[in-house]
Amino acid sequence: MDLGIRGKRALVCASSKGLGRGCAEALAAAGVDLVLNARGAEALEATAEAIRAEYGVSVTAVAADITDEAGRARVLEAAGAVDVLITNAGGPPPGLWSDWTRDDFIKALDANMLTPIALMTALLPGMIERGWGRVVNITSQSVKAPIPQLGLSNAARTGLTGYVAGTARQVAGHGVTINNLLPGSHDTDRAVALEKGVAKAQDVSLEEARKIRCKSIPSGRYGTITEFGNTCAFLCSEHAGFIVGQNILLDGGQTSATI
Ligand code: NAP
């Protein structure tokens, strides 16, 4: 399917690896020029080069911490006028409700709520002026059903979800859509980090921990970054202009809910 976005320009945050990279590759496959970002310059440049070589689109790489104001300013300056924004950053660490201090919450809110809001505040006006835009926020299945050990993530991402619910409806009349993609368990470094937590808590091997996690997923496996990226690219396509303020779960059926 032609997504109808060839020649558009996208900023994909936190995209040298994992879900962000999946989104970047799928957008590049649709002919979208990219601005990519991550903190580590080496992996970022390698990803940028691989995408340039495979898809022939223009790729600008900006090594910066997207959750830091100065880093974000550098990314936004390099990005300029973009048609598509994918917000993403590392997720908060796991733990227990009794461990978390005010500072832990501030850090999580900064990374997973206030950073995407700041990016939208900066880029929505240009999209509105040009009469076309797409924003996809990478959040988490924890928005639909809490993950007990990820309370910091549950809290920050639910705040972002509330913001998007209202804002998406304020900008939709200008041809700009905002939606959230909610990953369940996907095969990325983050998934391995969470497996290590399960392995330690249940005193089992990493392989066993993965089996335990996969058992709780009706599809019986983790999702791939390609599946995730292609769904993101569809949400950014011409065809998705009537999808507004939605929270799309990609979790292999793990969240047991009727709607
Ligand atoms: P990942 O494989 O660890 O990749 C994270 C990517 O983001 C890397 O490119 C990393 O590069 C970059 N990054 C991290 N923090 C950054 C920052 N502050 N500024 C700029 N770039 C940053 O993680 P992932 O699995 O793709 O997860 C992406 C998001 O989805 C996370 O918020 C995660 O919590 C959420 N999520 C993931 C899953 C899953 O199953 N994978 C499930 C639910 C939610 P550098 O380290 O070099 O910066």
Side-chain angles (χ1 to χ4, degrees), residues 75-172:
V75 172
L76 284 168
E77 198 185 336
V82 297
D83 311 294
V84 172
L85 165 66
I86 313 301
T87 76
N88 187 27
L96 253 188
W97 63 270
S98 47
D99 300 335
W100 299 316
T101 64
R102 175 181 162 77
D103 280 352
D104 295 323
F105 277 102
I106 299 289
K107 237 188 234 169
L109 292 173
D110 246 342
N112 300 113
M113 176 184 169
L114 298 175
T115 291
I117 290 175
L119 288 161
M120 283 185 264
T121 305
L123 295 173
L124 284 172
M127 294 181 189
I128 289 169
E129 206 180 298
R130 294 185 294 279
W132 197 95
R134 298 282 185 266
V135 179
V136 174
N137 300 293
I138 299 180
T139 66
S140 170
Q141 71 182 158
S142 70
V143 165
K144 291 263 187 191
I147 301 172
Q149 69 277 21
L150 291 179
L152 294 171
S153 172
N154 299 338
R157 299 188 198 275
T158 304
L160 173 63
T161 305
Y163 170 87
V164 166
T167 307
R169 287 159 175 92
Q170 289 175 286
V171 302

Side-chain angles (χ1 to χ4, degrees), residues 13-21 37-44 47 62-68 87-92 111-112 138-142 147 150 153 157 181-194 213 222-223 225 228 250:
C13 302
S15 52
S16 64
K17 297 180 197 165
L19 302 177
R21 178 171 180 159
N37 149 260
R39 292 163 303 180
E42 205 177 314
L44 179 64
T47 295
V62 188
D65 185 338
I66 198 70
T67 69
D68 164 77
T87 76
N88 187 27
N112 300 113
I138 299 180
T139 66
S140 170
Q141 71 182 158
S142 70
I147 301 172
L150 291 179
S153 172
R157 299 188 198 275
L181 261 186
L182 284 50
S185 298
H186 287 259
D187 207 354
T188 69
D189 290 356
R190 166 82 171 168
V192 175
L194 294 176
R213 290 191 80 210
Y222 286 180
I225 66 167
F228 192 88
L250 275 173

